[in-house]
Amino acid sequence: MSTILTVLTSHASLGETGRPTGYYVSEAAEPWRTFTAAGHTVDLASIAGGTPPSDGDWDGFEDFRPVAAGGTLPVAGADPARYDAVFLAGGHGTMWDFPTSGALAALLASVYARGGVVGAVCHGPAGLTEVVLPGGAHLLAGREVAGFTDEEESAVGLTEVVPFSLQQRLTARGAVVRPGPPFAANVVRDGRLVTGQNPASAQGVAEAILMALSA
């Protein structure tokens, strides 16, 4: 069995709106269920450690609440040699602290370079945008990916709130973005890189990560 690290955002403020944000509950809880039901060990980390801020409805995810409330280790303290896969849960908070975390970029580069699997869903791929592999190649260069689209960001009214367009940043890093219909499940697996477009894609991303681990 594998050991999987799920990474959550520590960012709690939705830009200058005064509204709270954080990781999106279902995007962390559904994969956690999928991983643990398959017998894998799941550790939780966040950019700052401790109990991270959450966003979204907890109804139906009561089993995950005590796990998240138990706290997370800071990403900077995570040993990449321990993990077979790293999964980046989404939530708008990730747009602020995932791309600016050098510790997260280094962790992802190390796990991937060792042959591990890297996955992300919704806004979670923001954490992939600054990952440079040993040798200088960008993780995303030439890779097929999915992530929250410009159309979806516009639909939720946050185009002018988020610090950048995720879809455009992925493209700028050399990724080939494969968008699906708005808010419908869309999972893209490119070898050991697995990404999903939106909350509806979370379970599918988890299942594809397990497939990549067993390949």
Side-chain angles (χ1 to χ4, degrees), residues 101-118:
S101 172
L104 178 59
L107 173 72
L108 292 167
S110 180
V111 170
Y112 192 83
R114 289 178 49 251
V117 177
V118 168

Side-chain angles (χ1 to χ4, degrees), residues 12-115:
S13 302
L14 192 58
E16 303 300 320
T17 66
R19 293 157 53 188
T21 189
Y23 71 90
Y24 202 69
V25 171
S26 66
E27 294 175 19
E30 289 180 353
W32 172 80
R33 283 179 178 169
T34 299
F35 297 149
T36 56
H40 301 287
T41 298
V42 181
D43 291 347
L44 295 183
S46 63
I47 301 302
T51 302
S54 65
D55 190 13
D57 195 344
W58 280 95
D59 288 349
F61 301 113
E62 290 82 0
D63 54 340
F64 182 68
R65 187 188 286 272
V67 177
T72 63
L73 70 152
V75 165
D79 178 6
R82 172 175 167 78
Y83 298 106
D84 303 293
V86 179
F87 167 66
L88 308 182
H92 274 92
T94 64
M95 294 286 284
W96 280 268
D97 65 356
F98 273 17
T100 58
S101 172
L104 178 59
L107 173 72
L108 292 167
S110 180
V111 170
Y112 192 83
R114 289 178 49 251

